[in-house]
Structures are given as structure tokens and as C-alpha cells.
Amino acid sequence: MATPGKHLVATPPVSTPFSTSNHHSHPAFSPHGPRSVVPSPQTVKKSPANPNFYGYGVGVGYDSPSAAMALGGLGLEGMGIGMGSGRADEDDRRRRLGTVMEILQGNKGRLSEAGMERLARRVGLECLWETHMGNGGGRSLIIAGSALALEIDFTNNLVKKVALSFPESSEAVARHSDKAGDILLRDLQFGLGESPLTKMLDRFAGNLERLAQLDKLSVIPGLNCHEAIAGIYESLERLHVWEVERLKEQADMAGKDSAFLERTALCTKSGKPAMHTRDRLGLSIDYWQDKRRVSGQTSKLEEQKIWSLLVECAPLPAMVFPPLRVSQNWISTEVQKVNPPVEDAMFLDGPILDWLEPDNTLLPSSEPAKPDAMEGIEQASSQKVPEVMFVAKFDPPLIVPMGLAMQIYNSTSAALDMSQLSTFDGLMFPHGPNDPAETSEARTIETEATVPVFDKNGEKSTQTHRNTLLIDKIDYGRNLTDLPFSHPRQLVEMLPALRQYAFLSTVLQKTFGTSSKPPSKETSPTKSKKDEFADFMAQTAAPKRSFRMDVHLTTQPLLKLRVAFPFKRRVADVTFEIKLNGVVEVVSQNLFNEERSPGEAKGLKAADLGRMLEITEDLGIWAEFVKRRLEG
């Protein structure tokens, strides 16, 4: 049996957790941006709404028997929570109450008129019922907040119509309300195999909670968080349309349809903003798509895995971070600077975008006038900034090296919590119960995968691959989940680096992730003459040999994958560098010599090997392509 990693040579020892040697691979996002972590005792966390007894249904009945059983099992009946004995410890009662709240929070209830009203009140919205006269009767539930109104028509507990409006908002918000209402209606309609007894409100609850969060943070008049989100969309959509038009002018884009151009802008430019998409309310900035280079997929963008930044609002934990601003003019109408400064032209490659700085959004202050300690003159504080900030949530979460995470947080002046440290490979491939605890030593991961193989006639077969991932230069990592920001420019400038690791995650997961399995025990392919004769006499075939491939991953100072596998009685050795925007470049290879042996390359160039990995996004399929093309 082959020894794992026998094709590869070990690299230098472990790197430090705070190494900044990755600056070549991850340049600063802005030439004038901060270069160090901004110290702050604050960490950005979610601020859930404070529950009340009525909102969670305690003592007012349940539409789920599991909640009632939980109360009974914990000895909490109705509003007399643990008060019967009078001896329960206060901390114990608080713990039990917290357990009940967690159960009730997790259970959004089933679709019914009563269940819908409880859900709306739970998230802090007001409810009002209106009864229909004639036409079969029925009722409408009016759910209202400070800046939104949602009308849901019921007939016998079945939802017939959903209408969403934003009475206090601008046209930038109102133009997307019909699309949002359609999503909410689909959330409440019966799917295949669903009935009034099984239809849950979970998906609808998620969208309603997002609406309620923006509404609760709004201060009408003065601050409308729905308009703040829509304003970012308007600016980024203006940028996206401009970039698509510029792509049409490129020679290599001649004849390409609009879907291809939009996908190119999504994966290589400033992303693609979208309001209320993929059954989720809110703004998403799509920046990466799996199988982006596969032909025939241009009309099925929604079916591919999309990597996005979800833009939301959150309470400002302390005045140590810039509050949000409400504006539709984060970038100029011309988009590109006409006469950019010389220093910008020297640092930045490509067009210089004309980003703008909108004025601060100010609210009337309720604080009384305070005397000035120096002048002795009362200074009336008539205005204040909102205690709300923008937050970008990574969907899905993205695993990056610690050095890149520090650059990302520095670029938005956010504080990075350094209390939890984990290795990059430990986040990408969590240690199992039988694996040793995470250490700073080298790690080897072995998997087995079934790879489709197509011959020259197009006939399909399969080949078993036994893959080994070697990580001997340990790097610390971070799983990016959410990030506060103050300007959409900050998000756009980090997209090229995010795409590097979105692509890497796809490649590694297909080869070593959930689609693979632990290696099975394999009998040795080497047999004696006597054993071979015995197999022949027994009419049994020798087991098919598996294909072995070693992959060496390094993230510092550059992101590289080195692949080795048997090829023409020697060991093929190809090193890829994954660059910004997920571009794959072949650093070295020994498969062929383009200059000395053109026939050996069979029309291939080194750049074609990188492009094939971009297309397949799978090292196993890529290796089979190389074998079929160059060995045949």
C-alpha cells in the first residue's frame, strides 16, 4: 500500500498565528485604508428582542403540544412558574424559564389564524382583524409596524392573499413590495404533502422577523431602515448595470448573452445586488457562483449555489462604530471618476470608481441641554446620530486564514475577537470524535470518492479515487459569519479575496468533504503467480485498482494546491495558485513541455490546466481529464 503523501515533499514548519506574510496574496482593500486592528472592547453580536410572557404565549395556550408538555415536564404550569412550593431557588427558576423560552422560540407554530397572530405579536408587531362581508366570508389579519403594513386574507385558516406595503417609505422601497409579498404568500401556501396539520410557519417567520427587525430599529420620522437598505441597493445596482455595459465592449465578450455577462460581473466585478430573492426578504450582494464556467447553465443561475453577503441593520452596541446613513447616492451617477487623482491611478488597477460620502443621518435628540464644563454655557444637543449600524452576513459562512480575516475587519474598522483561535484546516474539516484534538502539528486527511469517467466515445464509467490531503504548514483561520460596515465600498473591495476562498472551499469539499467517504480497506494489487492462477481457476477477477492522488494545501504566503498522481510510469506534479477572483494559475507542471515536445502536449497549454480546474471545480474530475487527454 502506498504511503500517504509519498509524492510530495514537506514544506517549512508551522507559521505564526498572526503572520502578515500574506500581503502579497491579499493586498489591502484600499490604498488609504487602515493597516492595523482597531482596538475595542466591544464585539458585535446579535441583539435579540426582549421576550414578554404574552408574546411567547405563556399562560395563554399553545398550538403545539410539545410546548405544553415542556411546561409540564419542567413543573411550570401557566403563570405560576415554580411558585407552588415557594422554595425553588431564583437561579433555578430563571434557568427553567430560559429553557421554556428556547423551546417556544424554536417552535414558530403551525399555520392558522391564531398561530399567525401569536407569531406577529411575538416579533413586536401590532395585529388587527377585519371580517369580510359576503363572497364566502373570511377574515383579514392586518399586521402593522411603524413603517410597514402586511395584510393576510384567510378563509377557513387558509391563506388566499398577502399584500405588503411600506406607507412611510420612498419609491425605492415601494417598488419591491410586490415581489416581497409574493415570497410571503409562497411561505404560507401548502407544498407537496402538506396540510393544515403539518404546515409550519418557520420559513414565513424568518422573513417576518427580518421585516420586524428593520421596523423596530426605525425611528419614524427621521430614520427608516427599509429606505437605508434600499438606498444601498440603488447604488450597487447602478454600479452593476455600468459594469455589464463595459463588459459588452470587450472583444472576448462579443456575442455573449445577457445572462453570461451578468454572471461574469457577479464573479469578477462588484457582484450583483438583488432585493427579495431565493425566497428570502432583504438585500443580498451575490459575489460567487459554483460552476460559473460550465456551458449550458446560464439560464439556471438560481439553481446553482450562490455565495452572498446579506445586508441588514443591527443595534449599535456602543458609539465606537460609525452609524448607518440613509442615502441612494453612495456612488455618483457617472460611476467612474472622470479625472481621478494621480495617487489613486497609481495604486488601483482598472477604472477608478466615484464613491461618494453621504451626509450623516441625524435624529432629534431627547436629551436635555447640558452645561459646557469649559465655557459654562449651556449647549443644547438638538440632534443625534442613529444607534443603528449596517451588518453584512456571509451566506454561506466563509472560512479564511486569520491574516485575511484581520485585513477584512481592518477595512471596515471593526473589532476582531481574538479569544477563539482555530486552525484553518480544523474549520474546513472539523476533527471527528476519533481524531486527535486540534494541534499545531501537520495533518493528513484521507478520503475515497467515486469519480465519473468518460471515454473518447462518450461512454460513462466510474473510477475509485483514494485521495490524501496534506497540511504540514499550519495556519490559523476564521469562519466569517457577520461583519459590521459603514459604506458599501468596503464590501465591494473585499470581494476579490472572498472569491479565492469560496472557490477553494468548493474544490476541497468536492474532493475531501461530504461527497467523499473514509477510505475502505483495499487488498494489495500485487499477487503471486499461484494466487493469480487460483483466481483464474475460480473465475474471479482481481479487484480493480483505485487511483491515488496526493494534494498539498498551503495558505501562506500564497494560496496554493500541489497535486501529485501516477502518470505514464512517473509521478505527475502540478502546482496551482488560486489568485484573486478565483483565478487559477499553473505555477509549475511536469505533464508536458510546450516548447520542446508540442506533440506530447496534444494541443494543451499550461494555462489550459488551470482553466480546466476552474471549469470542473473538482480535482478528481480534473485528473481524469488529464489522463484521458494526455495518456490516450
Side-chain angles (χ1 to χ4, degrees), residues 176-469:
H176 304 289
S177 59
D178 289 343
K179 188 177 181 181
D182 292 341
I183 292 177
L184 294 174
L185 178 60
R186 288 197 297 271
D187 289 344
L188 298 174
Q189 291 176 330
F190 293 138
L192 184 63
E194 289 183 331
S195 69
L197 296 177
T198 60
K199 178 65 176 180
M200 304 300 293
L201 291 173
D202 297 60
R203 196 170 67 180
F204 174 83
N207 283 321
L208 185 64
E209 288 168 355
R210 279 184 280 272
L211 286 174
Q213 173 76 349
L214 293 180
D215 195 78
K216 181 166 54 178
L217 294 173
S218 299
V219 181
I220 304 298
L223 172 62
N224 189 322
C225 291
H226 302 284
E227 287 189 2
I229 298 296
I232 291 182
Y233 169 80
E234 293 294 319
S235 295
L236 293 183
E237 177 66 11
R238 186 184 311 145
L239 173 59
H240 175 69
V241 171
W242 179 82
E243 288 177 337
V244 170
E245 291 300 318
R246 282 181 58 90
L247 285 173
K248 292 179 182 179
E249 301 172 359
Q250 296 182 190
D252 58 341
M253 293 292 167
K256 303 296 184 181
D257 58 18
S258 59
F260 182 90
L261 294 172
E262 288 190 1
R263 189 167 70 252
T264 302
L266 186 157
C267 296
T268 63
K269 302 298 182 181
S270 300
K272 180 181 179 182
M275 286 291 290
H276 312 315
T277 184
R278 294 186 288 279
D279 292 327
R280 184 191 182 281
L281 298 191
L283 168 61
S284 64
I285 305 174
D286 302 339
Y287 66 89
W288 189 251
Q289 175 192 345
D290 288 358
K291 299 182 179 179
R292 72 194 189 285
R293 287 189 174 274
V294 177
S295 60
Q297 301 292 334
T298 55
S299 62
K300 300 180 180 180
L301 180 62
E302 295 281 334
E303 298 179 9
Q304 305 299 331
K305 181 178 179 180
I306 303 293
W307 301 68
S308 303
L309 295 174
L310 309 178
V311 178
E312 299 181 359
C313 296
L316 195 62
M319 299 308 293
V320 295
F321 194 83
L324 62 72
R325 290 170 283 177
V326 181
S327 175
Q328 297 183 28
N329 298 312
W330 296 95
I331 196 168
S332 69
T333 55
E334 292 79 13
V335 178
Q336 183 179 5
K337 285 186 177 181
V338 179
N339 297 311
V342 176
E343 57 181 7
D344 287 349
M346 291 176 60
F347 280 104
L348 299 177
D349 183 20
I352 310 299
L353 300 180
D354 190 15
W355 294 106
L356 303 177
E357 289 292 342
D359 294 334
N360 290 331
T361 298
L362 299 175
L363 301 175
S365 176
S366 59
E367 297 181 1
K370 297 181 180 180
D372 189 295
M374 298 296 294
E375 303 291 340
I377 303 174
E378 289 191 353
Q379 301 289 337
S381 178
S382 60
Q383 292 181 314
K384 65 176 182 178
V385 296
E387 296 181 5
V388 186
M389 64 181 180
F390 288 123
V391 173
K393 296 185 177 180
F394 292 79
D395 182 33
L398 184 64
I399 300 171
V400 301
M402 181 60 72
L404 177 57
M406 294 174 66
Q407 291 185 35
I408 289 174
Y409 273 77
N410 285 347
S411 69
T412 67
S413 299
L416 177 61
D417 181 12
M418 302 297 294
S419 61
Q420 299 293 330
L421 290 178
S422 180
T423 60
F424 179 84
D425 63 282
L427 293 171
M428 187 70 69
F429 302 103
H431 292 260
N434 298 325
D435 295 338
E438 189 172 290
T439 65
S440 60
E441 298 179 357
R443 186 180 178 192
T444 299
I445 300 173
E446 295 184 81
T447 61
E448 185 176 291
T450 301
V451 179
V453 179
F454 295 90
D455 61 19
K456 295 180 179 180
N457 299 323
E459 296 294 329
K460 180 181 178 180
S461 60
T462 60
Q463 171 70 53
T464 300
H465 281 210
R466 294 174 67 89
N467 306 315
T468 302
L469 178 64

Side-chain angles (χ1 to χ4, degrees), residues 528-543:
S528 65
K529 295 294 184 180
K530 183 177 180 180
D531 291 336
E532 291 179 357
F533 180 75
D535 288 341
F536 173 77
M537 295 300 294
Q539 297 297 310
T540 59

Side-chain angles (χ1 to χ4, degrees), residues 89-219:
D89 180 78
E90 182 66 25
D91 291 340
D92 185 59
R93 289 201 301 270
R94 187 180 296 109
R95 178 185 58 80
R96 294 188 178 191
L97 180 59
T99 302
V100 174
M101 293 305 180
E102 289 179 3
I103 294 174
L104 295 176
Q105 281 181 318
N107 185 1
K108 307 302 181 182
R110 290 177 172 81
L111 175 60
S112 66
E113 293 182 2
M116 186 72 72
E117 181 177 357
R118 276 194 294 272
L119 175 63
R121 293 189 185 278
R122 180 189 300 180
V123 298
L125 299 174
E126 299 295 329
C127 295
L128 174 67
W129 284 100
E130 289 185 352
T131 303
H132 299 165
M133 303 301 295
N135 296 328
R139 298 200 299 170
S140 292
L141 175 62
I142 310 298
I143 301 175
S146 59
L148 68 86
L150 180 62
E151 182 176 352
I152 304 175
D153 293 346
F154 283 92
T155 302
N156 296 327
N157 282 319
L158 299 180
V159 177
K160 298 297 184 181
K161 180 182 177 182
V162 174
L164 176 64
S165 61
F166 300 91
E168 302 295 331
S169 302
S170 64
E171 172 61 22
V173 179
R175 73 168 63 104
H176 304 289
S177 59
D178 289 343
K179 188 177 181 181
D182 292 341
I183 292 177
L184 294 174
L185 178 60
R186 288 197 297 271
D187 289 344
L188 298 174
Q189 291 176 330
F190 293 138
L192 184 63
E194 289 183 331
S195 69
L197 296 177
T198 60
K199 178 65 176 180
M200 304 300 293
L201 291 173
D202 297 60
R203 196 170 67 180
F204 174 83
N207 283 321
L208 185 64
E209 288 168 355
R210 279 184 280 272
L211 286 174
Q213 173 76 349
L214 293 180
D215 195 78
K216 181 166 54 178
L217 294 173
S218 299
V219 181

